[in-house]
Amino acid sequence: MPEATAATDGTTAYFDGYGLVALLAVLGVLFVALAFGAGRLLRPVVPTPEKLMAYECGVDPVGEGWAHTQVRYYVYAFLYVIFAVDSVFLFPWATVFAAPGYGAATLVEMFVFLGFLAVGLLYAWKKGVLEWT
C-alpha cells in the first residue's frame, strides 16, 4: 500500500503545476478585463462627426474604400520575413554550434538550411522580383 500513496503523491505534485498555470492564466485574464473595464468607465465619451469619420495618416478619406496595391510590395514583405526568420534561426544555431560534440552535425544542418534560402533567393532573382520598377 505505501507504493500507491507514493504514486498518488507524485500525481498530485504533477497536477499542482498545472493548477498554478491555470491560476496565473485566470489572474492574467482578470487583470486585462479589469483594465479594459476601468478604461471604459474612466474615459470621456463625446462623439462628434469628426471622431466618427474614418482616418488614415492625416488624409481625409475621399472616394471609394478600395484601392489597388501593387503585388510587388507583398513579395518584398515576404522576402523580408524569410530573411528575418533566417536570422532567428542563426542565433540559436551559433550557440549550439559552440557546444562540444555538436560541431559537424550542426554545421551540415545549417548549410542545408542556408541552401534552401539560397534556392529561394535565386528563384526570386530569376523571376525578376528583386528588380525595382
Side-chain angles (χ1 to χ4, degrees), residues 87-100:
S87 66
V88 167
F89 282 123
L90 280 175
F91 288 116
W93 170 80
T95 59
V96 171
F97 182 68

Side-chain angles (χ1 to χ4, degrees), residues 3-127:
E3 294 172 4
T5 55
T8 306
D9 291 338
T11 305
T12 304
Y14 179 75
F15 286 116
D16 284 345
Y18 284 111
L20 182 61
V21 170
L23 177 66
L24 286 174
V26 167
L27 286 174
V29 169
L30 185 64
F31 179 75
V32 170
L34 285 173
F36 276 116
R40 185 174 200 129
L41 290 173
L42 296 175
R43 72 176 179 226
V45 179
V46 185
T48 61
E50 289 82 16
K51 287 183 180 179
L52 298 176
M53 186 173 63
Y55 177 80
E56 173 134 6
C57 301
V59 178
D60 290 335
V62 178
E64 297 180 15
W66 294 97
H68 293 285
T69 304
Q70 296 291 330
V71 174
R72 66 176 175 237
Y73 298 124
Y74 294 113
V75 174
Y76 287 120
F78 186 65
L79 286 172
Y80 169 77
V81 168
I82 288 173
F83 288 104
V85 169
D86 175 34
S87 66
V88 167
F89 282 123
L90 280 175
F91 288 116
W93 170 80
T95 59
V96 171
F97 182 68
Y102 290 103
T106 55
L107 186 64
V108 169
E109 289 172 358
M110 186 48 64
F111 277 121
V112 168
F113 178 70
L114 290 175
F116 282 124
L117 285 176
V119 168
L121 183 62
L122 182 65
Y123 176 77
W125 179 62
K126 287 287 189 184
K127 285 290 190 177

